[in-house]
Amino acid sequence: MERINITIDESGVGERIDVFLSKKLRDISRSHIKSLIKDGKVLVDGNTTKPNYKTRKGDNIFISIPPPKKMNTEPENIPINIIYEDNDIIVINKPQGMVVHPAPGNYSGTLVNALLYHCDNLSEINGAIRPGIVHRIDKDTSGLLVVAKNDMAHIKLAHQLQSKTMSRIYWTIVEYNIKQDKGIIDAPIGRHPIDRKRMAVVESGRRAVTHYEVLERFGDYTLVKAQLETGRTHQIRVHMAYIGHPVVGDPVYGIKKQRFNLKGQVLHAKQLTLIHPRSGEKMTFEAPLPEYFEKLLPILRN
């Protein structure tokens, strides 16, 4: 068990203890810290506390962090929307709200759990936690991704991503009116220098390129088609926020006051084009806009 001791100085006074610790311990999420507090693993001057406790100068905080759980990915009978399947690949239309593979805080209910129930074989290149996963999309992003059923397929699909011969097109609704009809955002993305749980455009980041085209304007909002040239974490969300047009509903990079009751960002992986790893055939798949996206369009048009 890891043990950490922190004494509050002037800079940390008056903050909720869960907020303070999530900033101080950058590798631990706020939700995980809340769980540690509720489990009595966080003591202030030797006493248990609550997540909303406001820190005081001189507080001696003692944190006990248990070792991470060993993740054992189990098959789960979870329905999945299969767009295409053969002996080598399976193309899924992932719903908003589903995590792609198990990780701390999400040990079950993921796409991988569902795939293990559905498929007899998945590629083993990414290990037992991410079998078959060639690329990912965020939990609250919906749409298409391809999964490899064997190592041959995985290697060839990964090479297509690397060589930019796999095309991924997203539809999104962003804040405000984009005046130009199309554009290219070429700005490097890396970890945010202060908040390590966010990504940002930073000079030290890896090159990231997004091509975008306006499909429809709604006054204060714009429907956009975005095509990834590279595949950095949160790329479209970070890039659109960077040019002043954050994705509607984005809880991390979006505006604070959202007008619509959404469960996450309005971002859908609508089209995927790849070369089949065995046949060499060029294949294009499309996923219709999901309900959360379709419901928003008439509201914006009116």
Side-chain angles (χ1 to χ4, degrees):
M1 183 168 303
E2 184 181 0
R3 291 175 171 84
I4 299 171
N5 195 41
I6 298 170
T7 301
I8 300 294
D9 58 19
E10 289 88 348
S11 64
V13 171
E15 278 199 272
R16 283 177 55 122
I17 193 169
D18 59 339
V19 174
F20 172 79
L21 290 177
S22 67
K23 292 177 183 175
K24 198 79 174 174
L25 310 173
R26 292 174 179 172
D27 294 330
I28 304 177
S29 69
R30 185 175 167 188
S31 60
H32 190 190
I33 286 166
K34 280 185 177 180
S35 296
L36 292 174
I37 293 170
K38 290 173 183 176
D39 291 343
K41 304 290 185 188
V42 178
L43 304 179
V44 179
D45 294 331
N47 301 309
T48 57
T49 187
K50 293 182 178 180
N52 63 355
Y53 170 78
K54 296 291 181 66
T55 55
R56 301 172 185 174
K57 185 178 178 182
D59 279 347
N60 187 35
I61 303 174
F62 187 80
I63 309 123
S64 300
I65 304 173
K69 289 182 183 178
K70 187 176 180 182
M71 287 187 284
N72 186 22
T73 312
E74 298 291 341
E76 295 179 41
N77 187 6
I78 302 168
I80 47 177
N81 184 357
I82 299 169
I83 301 296
Y84 173 84
E85 182 177 13
D86 61 26
N87 291 330
D88 298 302
I89 64 172
I90 177 168
V91 178
I92 305 291
N93 181 11
K94 186 189 81 68
Q96 186 181 54
M98 176 181 268
V99 175
V100 171
H101 61 76
N106 292 286
Y107 294 100
S108 63
T110 72
L111 177 60
V112 162
N113 295 106
L115 286 167
L116 287 171
Y117 184 90
H118 174 80
C119 300
D120 291 331
N121 296 302
L122 291 170
S123 86
E124 299 177 355
I125 285 176
N126 275 338
I129 301 303
R130 295 186 291 169
I133 301 302
V134 180
H135 64 115
R136 296 176 293 171
I137 55 179
D138 299 334
K139 173 185 175 183
D140 290 327
T141 298
S142 56
L144 296 170
L145 74 167
V146 60
V147 174
K149 285 190 168 185
N150 52 62
D151 289 358
M152 178 277 294
H154 195 133
I155 290 166
K156 290 191 175 182
L157 291 170
H159 177 72
Q160 289 178 44
L161 281 170
Q162 217 170 26
S163 62
K164 302 179 178 61
T165 53
M166 184 185 293
S167 169
R168 292 163 291 163
I169 294 174
Y170 291 71
W171 279 27
T172 183
I173 298 172
V174 301
E175 304 281 352
Y176 317 122
N177 176 32
I178 299 181
K179 293 179 181 178
Q180 59 271 36
D181 291 337
K182 57 178 64 177
I184 300 172
I185 308 166
D186 188 344
I189 291 176
R191 287 283 169 196
H192 193 284
I194 298 171
D195 186 348
R196 306 299 290 176
K197 290 176 282 189
R198 291 163 54 105
M199 307 302 288
V201 170
V202 289
E203 285 186 16
S204 59
R206 299 172 69 191
R207 188 177 185 223
V209 182
T210 305
H211 301 255
Y212 70 87
E213 179 182 343
V214 171
L215 298 175
E216 191 172 350
R217 294 183 174 91
F218 312 103
D220 290 337
Y221 302 92
T222 308
L223 175 65
V224 172
K225 179 172 75 172
Q227 182 165 2
L228 293 176
E229 185 174 318
T230 56
R232 309 299 173 221
T233 301
H234 301 173
Q235 180 171 315
I236 292 172
R237 298 163 64 192
V238 172
H239 269 172
M240 296 314 295
Y242 175 69
I243 65 168
H245 296 279
V247 174
V248 170
D250 192 329
V252 178
Y253 307 102
I255 62 174
K256 289 184 179 178
K257 292 186 178 179
Q258 295 283 340
R259 283 180 55 190
F260 310 104
N261 184 25
L262 298 166
K263 294 180 180 178
Q265 61 271 5
V266 184
L267 182 60
H268 179 64
K270 194 171 190 298
Q271 188 181 97
L272 174 68
T273 299
L274 54 85
I275 307 299
H276 192 279
R278 190 175 299 274
S279 70
E281 177 190 358
K282 186 175 182 179
M283 306 179 80
T284 296
F285 306 98
E286 292 212 14
L289 293 178
E291 185 179 10
Y292 78 89
F293 204 127
E294 285 280 16
K295 279 185 174 180
L296 189 54
L297 290 172
I299 294 171
L300 297 178
R301 288 179 180 128
N302 291 329

